[in-house]
């Protein structure tokens, strides 16, 4: 029957994930900001909802490298907004971008300076699942490269639950994507398919051991220069794995999982045409008393 809605609703809002760095030594894309809490709604009224798209750019002219695109914001009404994740960096000189979580830095050549991961607009996750600050939770991308030869490993994109991993100077392996966060218990219906796999022993207050319902993981950096080396894993919560080292052909970086805000995996050259992984689209979930 017609009536007036007057309830306090609980929400989860995650921005779209950032794209991994394109073509050469790509850092992982950062996850979209993760925001949750409660808000009163009374009606009749209209609330505008947007699910942010994951960042994606097309192939660059002549196979040139480029930083990945940022994801776009998700929102539940204009006051409750979660920015998209930052795009990953790519060699040479294409720095990653800041976002809800930041993109990973690109890998330097021998003797080159390290390339810092990009900062996050979100605040660090305190280790307890619950209401977030107004800027949500997010972490910076990992550092790519170092002064020590051969020094190529790109950094992973930041996740809502942790920073992206740094490239390893000892063997040039890339940094992993930062871990995401399990959504609040209100939204963990055993029959639901929301989210992506995650830890079964998370060590986080308020998380369960189901290994499900994770969102906002960062993308992994690409493997380089060891032939056949695999790219780094994306963070739990939909982060994409980075591309393998260039072995002609190599694989593209994996895209972030849809409706998780996961960052895309970094790209590595395949005759200079390889693409990085696009960011995963974000998500907006709302629960209210029945």
């Amino acid at each position: 029957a017609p009536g007036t809605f007057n309830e306090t609703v609980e929400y989860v809002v995650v921005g779209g994930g950032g794209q991994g760095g394109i073509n050469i030594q790509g850092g992982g894309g950062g996850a979209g900001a993760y925001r949750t809490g409660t808000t009163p709604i009374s009606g009749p009224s209209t609330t505008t909802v947007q699910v942010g798209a994951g960042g994606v750019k097309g192939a660059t002219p002549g196979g040139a490298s480029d930083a990945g695109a940022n994801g776009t914001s998700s929102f539940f009404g204009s006051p409750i907004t979660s920015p998209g994740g930052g795009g990953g960096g790519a060699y040479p000189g294409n720095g990653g971008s800041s976002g809800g979580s930041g993109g990973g830095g690109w890998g330097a050549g021998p003797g080159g300076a390290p390339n810092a991961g990009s900062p996050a607009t979100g605040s660090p996750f305190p280790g307890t699942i619950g209401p977030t600050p107004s800027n949500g939770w997010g972490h910076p991308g990992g550092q790519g490269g170092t002064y020590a030869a051969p020094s190529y490993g790109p950094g992973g994109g930041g996740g809502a639950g942790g920073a992206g991993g740094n490239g390893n100077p000892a063997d040039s392996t890339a940094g992993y994507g930062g871990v995401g966060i399990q959504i609040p218990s209100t939204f963990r219906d055993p029959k639901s398919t929301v989210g992506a796999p995650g830890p079964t022993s998370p060590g986080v207050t308020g998380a369960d051991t189901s290994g499900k319902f994770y969102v906002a993981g960062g993308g992994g950096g690409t493997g380089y220069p060891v032939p056949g080396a695999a790219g780094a894993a994306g963070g739990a919560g939909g982060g994409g794995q980075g591309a393998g080292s260039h072995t002609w052909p190599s694989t593209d970086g994996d895209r972030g999982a849809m409706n998780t805000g996961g960052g895309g995996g970094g790209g590595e050259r395949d005759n200079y045409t390889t693409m990085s992984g696009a960011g995963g689209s974000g998500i907006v979930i709302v629960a209210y008393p029945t």
Side-chain angles (χ1 to χ4, degrees), residues 2-285:
T4 299
F5 188 86
N6 187 12
E7 298 286 358
T8 295
V9 303
E10 184 175 0
Y11 60 83
V12 172
V13 181
V14 181
Q19 181 182 15
I22 299 170
N23 204 359
I24 303 178
Q25 299 176 27
Y34 171 100
R35 189 170 174 186
T36 186
T38 60
T39 188
I41 293 181
S42 60
S45 63
T46 299
T47 300
T48 303
V49 176
Q50 172 175 291
V51 175
V56 61
K57 293 179 182 176
T60 52
S65 293
D66 197 2
N70 282 25
T72 57
S73 297
S74 295
F75 54 80
F76 175 54
S78 58
I80 303 173
T81 299
S82 289
Y91 176 87
N94 299 292
S97 301
S98 175
S101 285
W106 54 274
N115 299 292
S118 298
T121 62
S123 295
F125 175 52
T128 299
I129 294 173
T132 65
S134 60
N135 58 328
W137 287 328
H139 292 83
Q143 176 177 288
T146 173
Y147 286 102
S151 65
Y152 289 101
N166 295 333
N168 187 341
D171 58 8
S172 295
T173 53
Y176 53 82
V179 66
I181 295 174
Q182 194 177 42
I183 58 178
S185 58
T186 300
F187 303 96
R188 298 178 210 157
D189 183 339
K191 299 184 291 296
S192 171
T193 59
V194 170
T200 54
S201 300
V204 170
T205 303
D208 65 30
T209 58
S210 66
K212 298 171 60 177
F213 310 115
Y214 281 79
V215 295
T222 185
Y224 184 85
V226 180
Q241 180 169 333
S245 181
H246 66 297
T247 53
W248 288 279
S250 66
T251 59
D252 293 350
D254 290 340
R255 71 175 301 143
M258 300 291 287
N259 301 127
T260 66
E268 182 49 56
R269 52 191 154 180
D270 169 11
N271 292 331
Y272 298 94
T273 60
T274 297
M275 285 299 298
S276 60
S281 55
I283 191 168
V284 176
I285 324 172

